[in-house]
Amino acid sequence: MSTQKGKKAGKITVDTIKKMKNRTKIVMITAYDALFAKLFDEEADIILVGDSLNMVFGGREDTLSIDIDTMIYHTNAVCRGAKRALVVLDMPFGSYNTKKEALKNAVKVYKNSPAQAIKLEGGKDKAEIIRYLTKNSIAVMGHIGLMPQSVRNEGGYKVKGKEENDIKSLIEDAKAIEEAGAFCLVVEGVKPNAAKEITKAVSIPTIGIGAGADTDGQVLVWSDMFGFFEDFKPKFVKRYLDGAKLIKEALKEYASEVRESKFPTSEYTY
Ligand code: KIV
């Protein structure tokens, strides 16, 4: 977030994010290492160390197999690069099934990394867990709608909020999460009118992904938006860069220069 004079503000906190609702749109992006976190830090308000790490960089089919220690390792790297953006760790599948387990793992995150908050997937069913975490000084970002950790259970990635009663249930989820003390809420893969109603129904900011323009902010997975992940492009992803093409072209040039002994020239030699 920029100050009025265009100067960058200091470290963004959960409080900064809460106050952005109805004022400034929130820019969130994923990152998994210090190098890219540093590149994103100037523009992003929130950097999410998403469990999407398991798919985009781990090459796995879904997010489910990543563990808490891996998430902590990558979060520490991101925190070294992000001096300004709020850093959020995505709690892995199976790490918050009960209140006690959730708190044990969230405390492990806080003790072993400078992450400012954690994110977990689930609606009213997770409200008690969120309440227990927030009561114990853990800042929680919710995540409703399409929840990638439910992919095996639901038999695929299903868009939500198509029917009236589905929208009603999503609004109940959002309200339950807000009431439990979450500071912010990701709304993924829902019809735009549903996301708009959810956003109006709560006083905490909503961050959309595949949820239309009427949320308080947007998040995208960086390798999708910069065109590095070529296997598949969801409809909601806008490619702001043709990253894979640029890398391949540059690599081709390097390879041919090496093969033809054109690199290194004297300019690149001690
Ligand atoms: O894991 C992730 O990157 C996420 C975002 C897509 C919201 O949960």
Side-chain angles (χ1 to χ4, degrees), residues 162-183:
K162 289 182 180 168
E163 315 285 337
E164 263 318 306
N165 50 1
D166 193 16
I167 298 177
K168 194 170 157 264
S169 171
L170 284 166
I171 293 173
E172 284 166 11
D173 284 338
K175 284 185 169 169
I177 289 169
E178 173 183 22
E179 201 265 323
F183 73 97

Side-chain angles (χ1 to χ4, degrees), residues 28 30 32 48 50-52 90 119 121 143 186 188 209 219 221:
M28 176 159 135
T30 65
Y32 315 103
L48 171 70
D51 60 357
S52 48
D90 209 2
K119 173 169 89 58
E121 296 180 11
H143 183 153
V186 169
E188 177 165 1
I209 172 163
V219 56
V221 168

Side-chain angles (χ1 to χ4, degrees), residues 37-48:
K38 196 171 174 188
L39 289 176
F40 303 154
D41 194 40
E42 197 172 326
E43 285 300 334
D45 300 307
I46 306 176
I47 297 183
L48 171 70

Side-chain angles (χ1 to χ4, degrees), residues 198-216:
I198 293 165
T199 301
K200 274 200 291 181
V202 291
S203 60
I204 54 172
T206 58
I207 315 272
I209 172 163
D214 292 315
T215 50
D216 299 303

